[in-house]
Amino acid sequence: MRGKYYTSVLDLNREETLEVLEISQYYKIARKAGHRKQEILYGRIWALLFEKPSLRTRVTFEVAVRELGGSCIYLAPTDVGLGKREPVKDVARNLERWIDGVFARVFDHKVFYEFKEYAPNLSLINALSDLEHPCQALADFQTMIEISGDLGFHLTFVGDGNNVANSLMLMSALLGTDFTIACPEGYEPPKEVIDKAMELSKKTGAQINILRDPREAVSKADFIYTDVWASMGQEAEAEERRKVFKPYQLNRNLLEFAPSHAKIMHCLPAHRGEEITDDVIESERSVVFAQAENRLYTIKALLSFLSQ
Ligand code: CP
Ligand code: NVA
């Protein structure tokens, strides 16, 4: 398995993405029946190159690689000093000599472009960057499809147009599901992401809406998603963001404006009392741990799909 990429939702087309989601469902059923081990990644070695902390992404990836028969090396934020101790292009060219793939959690998405340029034989999966979190979107779509039974749902994201929102918007556009984001002015997803989503939606029939009013945004939602107001790396802006995003808190009050069947989603970790209240995330409508569980099956599915 060399030189396969999933650095953006758009690295796989619609059919490929649906195939990964189907494989994931198979892995879920198989694992629940006690079938864990396979040899798909036998002898393969992946590095986890992480510039930021992680619970879900790291643990599910390591479990997935081990259950698929491979092994991995975790490189903590202080181990490598990506771009500080050593230029990104040198890190890429070193790793390419020894291992098969890199699962990287980075600040700057452009790191992936350097890896592709300098280490083209290295497989590369985005474990979260400033621009996207595609592996999270896979798990979230598996969760929504399981609950809805099909792709006929409407996902509403309330809050910051961040990495998680970007990947959800792109996957909605790709698969043809309806997506609304409500965010304050100046906190929309980047223009490049909106343009790509709009272009794709013309082909797939997805309705993509960018609104200001969170009440209007949740009014047709089957799923209501939120994420932190200040992502990792934006800590200095946290105080300012708390003020700007206050009207976007996912709380009982906002849920009054949503359909009663709408489920609550969050990629976690959550800042309770900020983007979401404790009672809402703990409510029966919350599917946050189903999302987290599906991180495992979707990453197994992605790894086995890419190793075909
Ligand atoms: N949702 C998610 O990516 O969680 P971690 O930051 O813990 O990996
Ligand atoms: N938007 C968050 C997601 C964490 C999983 C961040 O980047 O910190």
Side-chain angles (χ1 to χ4, degrees), residues 52 56-57 105 127-130 133 136 160 162-165 227-228 230-235 267-269 295:
K52 309 173 190 175
R56 282 146 290 273
T57 308
R105 170 164 283 201
L128 180 141
S129 68
D130 57 346
H133 197 2
Q136 179 70 48
D160 188 23
N162 63 14
N163 41 17
V164 171
D227 184 17
V228 292
S231 286
M232 290 180 275
Q234 297 174 328
E235 288 77 10
C267 57
L268 303 177
R295 292 294 305 272

Side-chain angles (χ1 to χ4, degrees), residues 103-119:
F103 187 51
R105 170 164 283 201
V106 297
F107 285 102
D108 188 350
H109 191 83
K110 290 191 198 79
V111 164
F112 296 130
Y113 306 140
E114 273 197 80
F115 263 79
K116 287 175 187 175
E117 184 181 346
Y118 286 93

